[in-house]
Amino acid sequence: MDAPVIDTRPIVAAGPKAPAHGIKVRTRDVSVFYGDKQALSDVSLDMADRAVTALIGPSGCGKSTFLRCLNRMNDTIQGARVEGVIELDGEDVNARAVDPVALRARVGMVFQRPNPFPKSIFENVAYGPRIHGLTTSKSELQDVVEQALRRAGLWDEVADRLDQSGSSLSGGQQQRLVIARAIAVDPEVILMDEPCSALDPIATARIEELIDELRQQYCIVIVTHSMAQAARVSQQTAFFHMGQIVEIGRTDELFTNPKEQRTLDYITGRFG
Ligand SMILES: Nc1ncnc2c1ncn2[C@@H]1O[C@H](COP(=O)(O)OP(=O)(O)O)[C@@H](O)[C@H]1O
Ligand SMILES: [Mg+2]
């Protein structure tokens, strides 16, 4: 395991909308097994900082499994086994010295269903900074909560009711609350697994705008069922099929001029 990761494949540049930032997350030959069943095979992908990478592909092709490798959420699944190399800023996330709880603060995750804690709006966002000891006073904590809610585009809607339950919010607001909760611990990477699939079109549009703003600051990896969404929000797209990456490309190129027949078939709706 001490050998350096040698990669001869060209690194896909971030798209024209994004300045060329370095690689934040890199995977090489990642395979995942659930018991005897292989769900991912040799997935190698570079995800740029300050850019959005979209993962697309038919249901069951391994997108969520791959996302969970990046912050070791597969550790929590009984019988799951991960092989290959996953690096954050060049460091192996599976190294023994890495604390998965600390890793998950650096690599936050937003799920399909908004999942606020059964607590107040304030407490939902304050929870992470508190358990990670990021603030030293009440006023500092209040500032962190306000900043996170502002960056998640929710502050104006909740500033006067921070003590109300997170679940009193609409679905779209709850999803922005969950994003604020992730932001509050100052992450570097935000993983989103179909974050809009439970939302209406207006709430979806707000989340997409938010993703576009957040990309100025974070490495974002989003799984989406919607090719239109991938095209709108991402600079790089990876097309997964049956546990493998079929094609990686700049989003504009992958959707207009795919190199692989399977990609073309998928984006033109022939399967999936
Ligand atoms: N916890 C699990 N236990 C066993 N098999 C799983 C588990 N999670 C996912 N799988 C299987 O792994 C494959 C990939 O699933 P998943 O990563 O959820 O795909 P996607 O997100 O692209 O729909 C599927 O065949 C799925 O049934
Ligand atoms: Mg999934």
Side-chain angles (χ1 to χ4, degrees):
M1 268 319 277
D2 287 340
V5 180
I6 297 164
D7 185 50
T8 52
R9 278 160 288 203
I11 288 173
V12 177
K17 284 194 280 182
H21 289 287
I23 301 306
K24 187 73 185 174
V25 184
R26 172 194 295 267
T27 76
R28 287 297 175 269
D29 299 321
V30 169
S31 296
V32 178
F33 303 82
Y34 296 109
D36 297 337
K37 184 175 179 286
Q38 185 161 7
L40 274 187
S41 307
D42 298 321
V43 172
S44 297
L45 183 62
D46 291 336
M47 288 148 274
D49 201 8
R50 303 185 200 191
V52 180
T53 295
L55 313 180
I56 63 166
S59 185
C61 68
K63 305 178 296 295
S64 297
T65 297
F66 179 71
L67 211 60
R68 286 196 297 267
C69 291
L70 307 183
N71 67 351
R72 288 182 56 177
M73 288 290 281
N74 288 317
D75 288 14
T76 65
I77 296 177
Q78 186 117 44
R81 190 172 96 244
V82 178
E83 291 178 357
V85 178
I86 299 148
E87 292 176 345
L88 175 62
D89 283 339
E91 285 174 64
D92 178 4
V93 305
N94 289 305
R96 200 162 298 171
V98 173
D99 169 12
V101 174
L103 175 69
R104 288 174 203 138
R106 292 177 69 189
V107 185
M109 194 154 187
V110 175
F111 298 92
Q112 192 166 343
R113 298 241 148 235
N115 58 346
F117 303 138
K119 289 171 184 285
S120 71
I121 293 166
F122 182 90
E123 288 301 325
N124 261 277
V125 184
Y127 179 81
R130 241 194 224 122
I131 61 162
H132 292 287
L134 299 184
T135 56
T136 53
S137 68
K138 196 171 175 207
S139 69
E140 207 184 332
L141 183 61
Q142 284 167 340
D143 280 351
V144 166
V145 169
E146 177 175 340
Q147 284 314 315
L149 286 166
R150 281 191 188 282
R151 271 194 267 161
L154 191 58
W155 176 253
D156 291 343
E157 290 158 65
V158 301
D160 59 354
R161 49 172 170 146
L162 293 175
D163 54 351
Q164 286 181 18
S165 166
S167 57
S168 68
L169 299 171
S170 72
Q173 289 173 323
Q174 288 186 25
Q175 202 59 310
R176 281 180 278 140
L177 179 63
V178 171
I179 292 170
R181 186 173 73 193
I183 289 173
V185 294
D186 200 20
E188 296 157 56
V189 181
I190 303 177
L191 311 176
M192 299 184 172
D193 197 347
E194 303 189 32
C196 301
S197 61
L199 304 182
D200 64 50
I202 291 169
T204 295
R206 290 226 44 186
I207 299 284
E208 288 183 4
E209 280 167 33
L210 177 59
I211 291 169
D212 202 52
E213 285 164 30
L214 294 175
R215 121 175 119 79
Q216 315 294 332
Q217 206 177 342
Y218 305 103
C219 167
I220 297 176
V221 188
I222 180 173
V223 170
T224 176
H225 254 56
S226 160
M227 285 179 266
Q229 178 166 76
R232 282 192 297 267
V233 303
S234 74
Q235 289 75 53
Q236 172 178 254
T237 297
F239 168 54
F240 283 67
H241 188 224
M242 293 169 64
Q244 293 180 306
I245 288 188
V246 173
E247 184 165 347
I248 304 165
R250 268 175 43 168
T251 296
D252 49 358
E253 286 172 2
L254 187 132
F255 283 110
T256 54
N257 193 16
K259 293 185 178 66
E260 301 290 331
Q261 183 65 39
R262 265 190 294 171
T263 314
L264 180 67
D265 289 346
Y266 182 68
I267 66 177
T268 53
R270 251 165 266 173
F271 69 91

